[in-house]
Amino acid sequence: MASSSTIESVLQEKRVFPPAPAFVKQANIAGMEAYRKMVAEAERDFEGFWARLGRETLSWSKPFTKVLDESKAPFFRWFHDGELNASYNCLDRHLETQGDKTAILFEADDGKVTKITYRQLHAEVCRLANALKAKGIKKGDRVLIYMPMSIQAVVAMQACARIAATHSVVFGGFSAKSVQERIIDAGAIAVITADGQFRGGKEIPLKPVVDEALGMGGCEAIKNVLVYKRSGSKVAMSAGRDTWWEDSVKGQAETCEPTFVNAEHPLFILYTSGSTGKPKGIQHSTGGYLLWCALTMKWVFDSKPSDVFWCTADVGWVTGHSYITYGPLAVGATEVVFEGVPTYPDAGRFWKIIQDHKVNVFYTAPTAIRSLIKAGGDLPKKYNLTSLRILGTVGEPINPEAWIWYHETVGGGRCPIVDTWWQTETGGHMISPLPGATPTKPGSATLPLPGIFADIVDETGHPVGKGKGGILVIKRP
């Protein structure tokens, strides 16, 4: 690794875009003064800051009295004497106030649209949760999920959370070897999958990949494989082990008492590409993770009750966990879930979805943005994108040229861009502009969020000072 004395700050960008006064007026965090006030509160009383937000944001079945336990650092424990359930926080608590609000607008690869309300989603999650319980799956068991982008993928994750089984989602494009390794490493006892999925007009098999993985050895602990019918293709079903999702949920009750768990209970394991060649399993707990998903929805995406939110990530990545399955539902949002790819049937697909569903907040990767510029830089102008109010980027740094194109061509020069820096390990945004507060600079993730203390240091751990390069550190848990 290069020593930090040779790390240069390469971004020489002078253009700065302050948020529009009209946007600032309506923002959840309005203006830099409001941002600085929150940063100061976190500096002054770190635990008090998180305690306040934890109580205001989440529903607890047993309120916490301890905020942060640093005694076993680096294994910090948050709210660890409190109890809650992630699925309850995402579904049940919205039923009285907005049960008939659309939770998910699902657009399939072929363009077919399915809408599901919070009440319907709650019923689907409960039916699957009851089916899992009927198969003997219980609190603390690990369930591997290998699903297409779909309402059912969200249902599977939420159903696991509801009964306190820890889920491990594997991206639907990964090989049988990846599935096998993750089953063994997580100690999974069940798999939820589908016969196949559609991407770009092509059917991609899923169940045959699971069968191959289970045949590789070391997966003897898998007692149940649940298969959702998506493609309708014929697949082999192993008697006694494999059941169709539809058969399993038939006759199950539409209510299922959530299993309330300690805030530190593992919600999920997600594997991130290891620099060692072997994927590393990251485990996220329930309380702290869910709180941060909800807060970043409110702060970074300025979430409003009337918004249609669209994160284009796959649920196989942490972005899909935090900003599809948990964050948007925790704040009661309406979100788009899309099965296909940005270039099918043509490179206007993303813009057409934004136009058709009147998307207000659009969150995608710089890689997608750059490929869409190549595929047709003027294409967005053919669509009505006036519903957009915030654009976001995730995954890697965005180069200033792509940023400017995104800002001008997609956002019409009026949408703040939130360029979010975070990792699988952090579970949510750490450094990002706040759309109603932070002046933005193309290619810069700007400032740490309130309560996140970041610095740039040299290899001895000393701050390097402004304008110099070094190692990025987060100083507090």
Side-chain angles (χ1 to χ4, degrees):
M1 185 183 147
S3 83
S4 61
S5 56
T6 64
I7 297 175
E8 290 173 44
S9 175
V10 291
L11 181 68
Q12 303 300 331
E13 177 60 67
K14 299 283 185 281
R15 292 168 290 190
V16 173
F17 296 79
F23 194 102
V24 175
K25 267 201 192 91
Q26 62 81 57
N28 293 339
I29 297 181
M32 280 305 280
E33 202 39 57
Y35 164 77
R36 286 193 194 102
K37 204 174 148 192
M38 289 177 77
V39 170
E41 184 195 346
E43 269 174 358
R44 193 173 58 248
D45 179 9
F46 191 66
E47 291 199 18
F49 175 77
W50 291 114
R52 174 177 74 78
L53 292 168
R55 290 188 185 108
E56 285 173 4
T57 312
L58 298 179
S59 299
W60 299 81
S61 59
K62 180 188 168 204
F64 58 88
T65 62
K66 294 182 176 67
V67 183
L68 172 62
D69 173 11
E70 305 191 61
S71 65
K72 293 185 177 68
F75 299 101
F76 301 101
R77 297 197 302 164
W78 285 94
F79 316 117
H80 67 93
D81 64 345
E83 290 179 7
L84 76 168
N85 178 278
S87 177
Y88 178 92
N89 272 276
C90 291
L91 301 172
D92 304 56
R93 66 179 180 153
H94 304 311
L95 295 182
E96 272 183 38
T97 53
Q98 51 168 53
D100 297 322
K101 179 179 177 176
T102 300
I104 297 172
L105 286 157
F106 171 65
E107 182 162 323
D109 188 62
D110 64 5
K112 184 172 182 264
V113 175
T114 309
K115 294 180 184 184
I116 189 167
T117 65
Y118 272 90
R119 204 178 313 285
Q120 291 165 329
L121 185 59
H122 174 263
E124 288 298 315
V125 167
C126 287
R127 287 169 70 204
L128 185 63
N130 286 326
L132 295 176
K133 286 208 295 202
K135 291 180 186 303
I137 297 162
K138 58 189 189 308
K139 177 181 170 181
D141 285 340
R142 267 85 65 206
V143 177
L144 186 115
I145 297 173
Y146 187 64
M147 291 282 286
M149 279 300 288
S150 54
I151 291 170
Q152 286 70 30
V154 175
V155 169
M157 294 164 80
Q158 287 280 350
C160 288
R162 194 162 193 87
I163 64 171
T166 301
H167 61 69
S168 172
V169 182
V170 179
F171 172 59
F174 279 179
S175 68
K177 185 80 187 129
S178 304
V179 174
Q180 179 227 19
E181 283 173 355
R182 287 157 173 76
I183 284 171
I184 294 168
D185 194 76
I189 63 152
V191 176
I192 303 176
T193 188
D195 47 8
Q197 63 180 340
F198 292 98
R199 289 177 78 85
K202 293 184 189 72
E203 188 191 328
I204 300 161
L206 290 174
K207 173 65 163 60
V209 178
V210 170
D211 290 341
E212 191 188 330
L214 297 182
M216 286 175 169
C219 301
E220 292 71 28
I222 299 290
K223 297 285 177 266
N224 285 289
V225 178
L226 223 73
V227 189
Y228 174 69
K229 264 186 197 148
R230 170 65 188 104
S231 66
S233 288
K234 200 167 160 50
V235 292
M237 297 290 277
S238 172
R241 186 196 71 188
D242 303 352
T243 48
W244 291 107
W245 171 308
E246 294 74 5
D247 295 339
S248 299
V249 299
K250 201 177 279 169
Q252 293 292 353
E254 290 188 353
T255 55
C256 172
E257 204 49 44
T259 302
F260 293 103
V261 293
N262 181 283
E264 278 292 311
H265 179 79
L267 179 62
F268 66 85
I269 299 165
L270 185 60
Y271 289 82
T272 182
S273 46
S275 47
T276 53
K278 184 182 188 291
K280 302 185 293 285
I282 305 293
Q283 179 180 293
H284 277 290
S285 63
T286 304
Y289 170 79
L290 195 63
L291 173 61
W292 198 230
C293 286
L295 289 175
T296 48
M297 281 296 300
K298 290 177 180 179
W299 296 351
V300 178
F301 296 126
D302 193 47
S303 185
K304 301 280 190 273
S306 59
D307 276 350
V308 175
F309 174 83
W310 182 23
C311 165
T312 69
D314 191 281
V315 289
W317 314 121
V318 73
T319 307
H321 282 56
S322 303
Y323 301 110
I324 294 176
T325 300
Y326 291 110
L329 299 177
V331 298
T334 294
E335 62 171 327
V336 172
V337 171
F338 173 51
E339 180 179 38
V341 295
T343 50
Y344 176 82
D346 57 58
R349 185 68 184 266
F350 272 12
W351 320 129
K352 186 177 184 319
I353 291 174
I354 291 169
Q355 172 185 277
D356 291 354
H357 301 300
K358 299 187 170 48
V359 172
N360 306 112
V361 182
F362 177 61
Y363 190 41
T364 196
T367 317
I369 294 165
R370 285 192 290 269
S371 70
L372 289 166
I373 294 172
K374 280 199 191 95
D378 285 336
L379 263 179
K381 293 176 181 163
K382 293 185 178 160
Y383 297 86
N384 180 355
L385 306 181
T386 53
S387 62
L388 288 171
R389 66 183 195 94
I390 295 173
L391 299 172
T393 71
V394 56
E396 74 267 14
I398 181 167
N399 53 312
E401 300 73 35
W403 193 102
I404 292 292
W405 176 86
Y406 197 32
H407 183 254
E408 290 174 356
T409 310
V410 180
R414 65 176 197 285
C415 300
I417 293 179
V418 290
D419 173 3
T420 61
W421 178 84
W422 57 300
Q423 296 172 314
T424 306
E425 289 84 346
T426 70
H429 310 143
M430 302 295 270
I431 299 173
S432 170
L434 296 169
T438 321
T440 51
K441 183 191 276 190
S444 167
T446 70
L447 302 168
L449 294 179
I452 304 298
F453 296 98
D455 207 348
I456 310 284
V457 299
D458 60 23
E459 49 281 48
T460 61
H462 291 95
V464 296
K466 280 191 174 165
K468 293 194 168 62
I471 300 156
L472 173 63
V473 294
I474 307 291
K475 298 193 287 186
R476 295 292 314 256

